[in-house]
Amino acid sequence: MYKHRIETEEKSTDISIVNETNAGIIFAAGTSAVNMASDPYGITNVPVMISGLAEAKAKLGYSDDLGSYTLGNTIQSNFVVFQNIPAVFVNVLDPKKHKKALAEKVCAVTEGIAKVVDKGILLDQMVVKKDTVALVSGTDYIAEFEGDGSVSITLMENEKTKGASELKVSGTVIDPSMVTEDDVIGGYDLLTGKEEGLELVRRAYPMFGIPVSEITAPGWSRNPKVAGVMAAKTEEINGVRQAMALIDIDTQTYPKITDLGKAKSDLAINGRNCTLLWPMARRGAQVLDYSAVWAAAAHNTDAEYNNIPTKSASNELLNVTAPVTNGGTEDIIIDLTQAEYANSIGIVVMINDQGVRAYGNNTAAYPNTKDPKDRWIPCRRGMNWYRNGFVQRYCDRVDDPTDYRKIESFLIDENILLNTWAGNRWIAGGKITYNESENPIEQILDGKIVFHTNIAFWTPMEHIVDVVEFDPNIIKNALGGGE
């Protein structure tokens, strides 16, 4: 619309409380509506750290079609459902490869504006004609995306556009259906040195200075091949860091809670750094992958404890409407006994108890292990968080002289930190020591120093029992029959 005026606009008051984490970040791999991004051709297999919805829309592009554009699950969960920042995203949809032609179509012009309802249009490849005459973007028309991904073409008044009642539009659209599991998995090309997909998790810390705490691939993690790679990527990122893999169980293949035993067996995921999640979550009319919602809920809970994974996300409100199955088409009710069955085989579900809540504390390693650090999700996340933080805090001391004062300083600094955390009840307790028995002279001469940390994170109070006894003496006393 042509404007020749003075006007004002009013912006909604931003009263959201944002939770900013520096202890670990969510890493999400998948597809995004890159045609709507500011640089559609420069955002494929490039890790980007994003701190809000507006930035996500600008850098990645965004569509409410979360089944096709899977990174939208994390964008919605992290920046809308919960206000957590930042998160790292890797889009694997390549507009140079995952594309198809948009056949020429006729679009009516109303008050100087034509609307193209097709989604995924690459504006730089769009051809607009009045009759047989090609119009020039920026000279004859301005094309802009609407919120739903459609395109509005606003005609500028000149001789070429005069009297236009319809336009002919053709071009190219991105096609997310062409993206495969191999694109998400990615890998390393020995010839070019290029990394793609989940392989890029190793770049997160060198690029952004924050270790990855959760690896996610909404819409894709339910694929056994993708899930297996995610599980493998959790150990020794950059050689020294650890993370959790959040893996969704396919609700179409396994629509009933009684299917979950087979689901876990089919996925073959039993690692301590893996969290299995079922089903999906509905929020209004929108359906989200549980892995994206759970990751955001866990970080939201961490923020309440100084960004330390002290408390489990279990029994925390998810700010969603209902659990859904059958690919997100059917609301379901999961009662306590059903949830307990899922928990007993190491799967996290949801229950509706005064709101929809996450329910489950066990990693995928349960029930094969009862070791608290490997069984309990908050303890496993805590161990990873501590190890990653230790490396980050003291990496600058590598290559210092092996001087006892240096060792003593090391112990003092870390014990002060551990005592602070314990004093605030963020951890159960911890102490670091230097033991001569673990540091023989031969080892020291070889340049290796060993410290020993004893640490404990709070286990969840998962089973609370109140023994209730009927006491006849209470009635006797109430009636004045007592002595």
Side-chain angles (χ1 to χ4, degrees):
M1 178 186 294
Y2 182 83
K3 294 183 179 181
H4 183 177
R5 64 179 74 170
I6 181 171
E7 62 181 349
T8 67
E9 293 182 355
E10 190 164 317
K11 186 178 182 296
S12 299
T13 305
D14 187 0
I15 57 173
S16 297
I17 299 173
V18 176
N19 297 318
E20 185 170 3
T21 180
N22 56 14
I25 49 176
I26 298 167
F27 175 93
T31 54
S32 196
V34 294
N35 65 300
M36 299 173 71
S38 56
D39 181 8
Y41 304 101
I43 198 63
T44 302
N45 287 308
V46 177
V48 288
M49 187 164 71
I50 291 177
S51 295
L53 182 60
E55 186 180 6
K57 288 180 176 180
K59 289 186 177 179
L60 289 169
Y62 173 79
S63 168
D64 281 331
D65 181 0
L66 305 185
S68 299
Y69 301 106
T70 60
L71 289 180
N73 285 273
T74 301
I75 292 170
Q76 272 290 319
S77 298
N78 228 44
F79 305 141
V80 179
V81 181
F82 295 95
Q83 283 75 48
N84 299 325
I85 61 171
V88 170
F89 297 82
V90 168
N91 162 68
V92 301
L93 192 156
D94 186 347
K96 298 177 183 176
K97 180 172 68 172
H98 305 125
K99 62 180 181 177
K100 61 183 178 182
L102 174 66
E104 187 173 81
K105 55 171 46 191
V106 176
C107 301
V109 176
T110 303
E111 295 184 353
I113 299 175
K115 185 172 182 179
V116 188
V117 298
D118 297 76
K119 312 297 194 299
I121 294 174
L122 289 161
L123 291 184
D124 68 309
Q125 297 187 37
M126 188 171 70
V127 178
V128 180
K129 296 179 182 178
K130 178 193 171 190
D131 299 323
T132 59
V133 178
L135 303 182
V136 179
S137 176
T139 301
D140 301 320
Y141 69 90
I142 296 172
E144 296 177 300
F145 286 110
E146 298 292 329
D148 63 356
S150 61
V151 175
S152 289
I153 301 172
T154 303
L155 294 177
M156 303 176 76
E157 294 183 5
N158 60 34
E159 286 300 315
K160 289 172 68 177
T161 64
K162 187 176 181 179
S165 61
E166 62 182 30
L167 299 175
K168 295 177 181 177
V169 180
S170 60
T172 304
V173 295
I174 58 175
D175 186 357
S177 69
M178 296 175 68
V179 178
T180 69
E181 61 189 32
D182 290 332
D183 293 312
V184 178
I185 290 168
Y188 176 76
D189 190 318
L190 289 172
L191 294 178
T192 64
K194 186 177 180 180
E195 296 165 307
E196 297 180 340
L198 288 167
E199 191 71 23
L200 290 163
V201 70
R202 74 156 199 91
R203 289 197 183 182
Y205 184 80
M207 289 179 70
F208 309 117
I210 306 175
V212 169
S213 55
E214 275 78 35
I215 299 172
T216 67
W220 295 96
S221 64
R222 60 180 63 97
N223 177 297
K225 189 175 175 182
V226 175
V229 172
M230 290 172 64
K233 293 296 181 187
T234 63
E235 299 279 356
E236 297 185 355
I237 303 168
N238 311 122
V240 294
R241 296 179 178 88
Q242 326 296 315
M244 298 287 289
L246 306 185
I247 296 167
D248 290 295
I249 293 174
D250 189 352
T251 66
Q252 286 185 305
T253 306
Y254 311 99
K256 305 185 301 297
I257 204 156
T258 51
D259 297 329
L260 295 186
K262 185 176 187 306
K264 185 174 182 181
S265 176
D266 291 348
L267 271 174
I269 297 295
N270 297 285
R272 66 181 185 176
N273 278 332
C274 298
T275 299
L276 293 174
L277 299 134
W278 182 92
M280 302 176 78
R282 180 173 67 82
R283 188 171 190 264
Q286 199 167 52
V287 175
L288 298 156
D289 271 46
Y290 192 6
S291 60
V293 178
W294 191 94
H299 280 247
N300 187 71
T301 304
D302 293 346
E304 297 176 10
Y305 291 86
N306 197 46
N307 285 320
I308 297 174
T310 301
K311 186 192 178 301
S312 171
S314 184
N315 209 23
E316 293 294 318
L317 289 169
L318 295 173
N319 297 337
V320 299
T321 309
V324 289
T325 186
N326 286 323
T329 61
E330 182 181 341
D331 287 12
I332 59 171
I333 296 173
I334 303 171
D335 68 19
L336 185 59
T337 55
Q338 290 177 317
E340 287 174 335
Y341 162 69
N343 296 169
S344 75
I345 56 174
I347 295 173
V348 177
V349 291
M350 305 177 204
I351 61 169
N352 196 328
D353 185 354
Q354 301 174 75
V356 180
R357 300 170 183 270
Y359 215 71
N361 291 299
N362 292 320
T363 70
Y366 187 81
N368 291 340
T369 181
K370 302 295 194 300
D371 187 334
K373 73 178 179 66
D374 295 332
R375 171 204 174 165
W376 298 117
I377 291 171
C379 293
R380 186 66 254 153
R381 293 182 75 233
M383 292 295 286
N384 289 348
W385 165 81
Y386 180 75
R387 293 177 64 187
N388 292 342
F390 186 89
V391 170
Q392 189 173 11
R393 283 190 294 279
Y394 300 113
C395 61
D396 61 344
R397 302 197 189 188
V398 172
D399 296 330
D400 278 0
T402 310
D403 177 341
Y404 189 75
R405 287 189 177 180
K406 295 277 188 182
I407 294 171
E408 192 175 50
S409 172
F410 208 118
L411 296 173
I412 291 170
D413 291 346
E414 190 66 3
N415 276 319
I416 288 174
L417 201 55
L418 289 165
N419 289 335
T420 300
W421 294 336
N424 285 289
R425 315 305 287 166
W426 295 329
I427 66 173
K431 183 179 181 180
I432 187 171
T433 57
Y434 173 86
N435 304 317
E436 290 187 9
S437 61
E438 294 178 308
N439 290 277
I441 186 61
E442 296 82 8
Q443 179 178 285
I444 292 173
L445 292 174
D446 202 36
K448 180 179 179 181
I449 297 293
V450 174
F451 294 96
H452 195 119
T453 299
N454 292 83
I455 192 168
F457 297 89
W458 298 110
T459 57
M461 197 185 304
E462 192 178 72
H463 186 195
I464 300 172
V465 178
D466 178 18
V467 178
V468 180
E469 178 183 353
F470 184 86
D471 188 348
N473 289 318
I474 294 175
I475 296 178
K476 182 179 177 181
N477 293 335
L479 295 175
E483 294 182 1

